Amino acid sequence: MKKINHCKITIPAKSVNEGYARAAVAAFAALADPTLEELSDIRTAVSEAVTNCIVHAYHEKAGLIYIDLTLTEDNTLKIRVKDKGCGIADIAQARQPLFTTAGEERSGLGFTVMASFSDKLAVRSAVGKGTTVTITKRLQGRPA
Ligand SMILES: Nc1ncnc2c1ncn2[C@@H]1O[C@H](COP(=O)(O)OP(=O)(O)OP(=O)(O)O)[C@@H](O)[C@H]1O
Ligand SMILES: [Mg+2]
């Protein structure tokens, strides 16, 4: 499918940037005239993906988050959130609702939320190399 718009954002994995990432992705998505509900879903999914990079991939230490946005002519938004952190040993287990490696302060619902607020969620990871999460969302609005 032909790309009609794209954007790359690289930010340090700091919690202060979680809000920025959410707003930046929403601003890109807004160009495709989404519904308010779609925008809200996108913000929520991005927030979960970016938080995982900060908390799990880099364990609150220095690192970069690479966000890649693509809009295709069928008005599908692809949001790729990539880190070069610790990676995930068992992706199927990590995607199970309520599974967490972070103890009681986390609920283990991030991947479940990302999947339910999008049309497709793909997770690729290699231990010691990093993780790439791709969120696909079909938008109802007019193409930009
Ligand atoms: N980018 C990542 N790098 C390394 N591990 C990750 C990454 N994202 C998720 N994980 C692993 O997958 C588990 C499940 O992630 P998920 O987002 O579903 O839940 P959580 O982050 O533990 O809790 P919550 O999102 O509800 O606060 C995490 O506990 C962590 O072990
Ligand atoms: Mg999470």
Side-chain angles (χ1 to χ4, degrees):
M1 192 57 67
K2 199 176 156 210
K3 281 188 194 180
I4 56 173
N5 204 358
H6 60 95
C7 172
K8 284 183 197 293
I9 303 163
T10 303
I11 41 172
K14 294 179 178 203
S15 48
V16 67
N17 281 337
E18 185 267 318
Y20 169 74
R22 204 173 353 129
V25 176
F28 181 87
L31 300 170
D33 200 20
T35 66
L36 286 178
E37 192 186 351
E38 286 167 343
L39 262 189
S40 163
D41 292 354
I42 290 163
R43 280 199 197 91
T44 304
V46 168
S47 171
E48 293 295 337
V50 168
T51 301
N52 278 354
C53 298
I54 298 165
V55 173
H56 303 298
Y58 297 119
H59 302 288
E60 313 275 353
K61 299 198 180 80
L64 292 173
I65 303 173
Y66 307 85
I67 300 173
D68 192 305
L69 306 172
T70 309
L71 185 70
T72 46
E73 62 184 359
D74 61 350
N75 231 22
T76 298
L77 176 66
K78 256 197 189 145
I79 306 163
R80 199 179 70 188
V81 179
K82 178 177 155 187
D83 64 67
K84 294 184 180 171
C86 66
I88 301 172
D90 185 339
I91 294 170
Q93 182 187 48
R95 290 184 64 156
Q96 288 292 316
L98 305 178
F99 176 85
T100 183
T101 52
E104 292 200 344
E105 80 261 30
R106 299 262 150 208
S107 48
L109 286 172
F111 281 133
T112 306
V113 168
M114 285 181 244
S116 58
F117 283 64
S118 65
D119 291 292
K120 189 175 164 204
L121 175 72
V123 184
R124 287 191 296 126
S125 192
V127 172
K129 291 192 170 165
T131 301
T132 303
V133 169
T134 307
I135 298 159
T136 304
K137 181 90 177 160
R138 277 189 292 274
L139 305 174
Q140 283 172 23
R142 295 188 313 272

